[in-house]
Amino acid sequence: MRHLAQQGRRRIALLRFDTLTAPMLQVGYEQALTALGLQPCPPEVPCALEENDMADLDRKCDQLVPAIKDGRLDGVLVHNDSIALPLVSRLRAAGVQVPDDLAVVTYDDELAALADPPLTGVAPPRKAVGAEAVELLVRRLQDPGRPTHHLKLRPVLNVRG
C-alpha cells in the first residue's frame, strides 16, 4: 500500500480470495488506508473473488473497468498471483492500461514476474517460515514444557514494471 501511495495512487482496492490469509490482509489494508490518509474504495468496487471461477472474474472485471476509467480506482492489491495475471489480461482487453490507468501489486509473488507487464509483488518468506517451523518443532520435542513462541517474518516487496 505504501508503495502504491508513493507512486501517487490514492484510490486503492484490495481484491482477494477468501483464504486463511485474507482476514490479515484485510486488516492490514484497512490500517494502511488510515495510516496513509487514503479513502476506502466505493462499495461498487468488488473486493472478494470466488476461487476457480473465471466467470466470477469476468463479472468483477466488468465492475472494475468503469471505476478505473472514471477515476474511482487507480491501484489494486491482488491476493494472489494466480488471479492477478488473468485479471490484468482481461483489464487490458477492456482497454485499461497497466500500470498507467491502474497500478497492480500482487501478493504471493510466485508468478508476478511472468505477467505482461511484469507486476510488483509482495513475497512472503516461505522458505524461512518452513525452516523456523521445523526448528520450533524440534525445540518443542526436546523441551515439551517450553513456552510458546510468536514469530513474525516480514515479506519482501519486489518492484517491477
Side-chain angles (χ1 to χ4, degrees):
M1 291 290 291
R2 186 176 20 250
H3 171 74
L4 289 168
Q6 288 171 345
Q7 301 301 311
R9 306 304 174 145
R10 294 290 173 256
R11 294 161 304 282
I12 305 166
L14 171 63
L15 193 57
R16 59 174 173 71
F17 291 121
D18 187 19
T19 64
L20 291 173
T21 309
M24 293 176 279
L25 289 172
Q26 186 67 41
V27 168
Y29 168 76
E30 291 168 5
Q31 289 174 343
L33 286 175
T34 300
L36 297 168
L38 302 174
Q39 296 297 315
C41 285
E44 65 273 13
V45 173
C47 63
L49 292 167
E50 299 295 325
E51 197 158 1
N52 299 320
D53 187 344
M54 288 298 121
D56 178 63
L57 178 62
D58 289 337
R59 287 188 298 275
K60 300 300 168 62
C61 284
D62 289 344
Q63 293 173 288
L64 290 171
V65 169
I68 296 163
K69 290 189 175 184
D70 70 15
R72 290 177 286 145
L73 183 64
D74 63 2
V76 64
L77 175 60
V78 182
H79 178 237
N80 59 26
D81 290 20
S82 68
I83 204 66
L85 274 64
L87 172 72
V88 168
S89 177
R90 283 166 170 77
L91 291 173
R92 290 181 72 197
V96 173
Q97 298 297 312
V98 175
D100 298 333
D101 300 331
L102 182 74
V104 178
V105 173
T106 182
Y107 183 90
D108 268 351
D109 202 30
E110 292 181 345
L111 304 170
L114 303 175
D116 180 26
L119 302 174
T120 294
V122 177
R126 286 182 182 80
K127 288 181 183 178
V129 168
E132 291 293 333
V134 169
E135 187 174 321
L136 287 171
L137 176 61
V138 168
R139 288 183 187 164
R140 172 72 60 198
L141 292 170
Q142 292 170 342
D143 181 9
R146 78 177 277 170
T148 59
H149 287 73
H150 181 81
L151 181 65
K152 282 188 180 181
L153 299 175
R154 300 209 182 269
V156 173
L157 180 68
N158 293 315
V159 178
R160 300 182 185 95

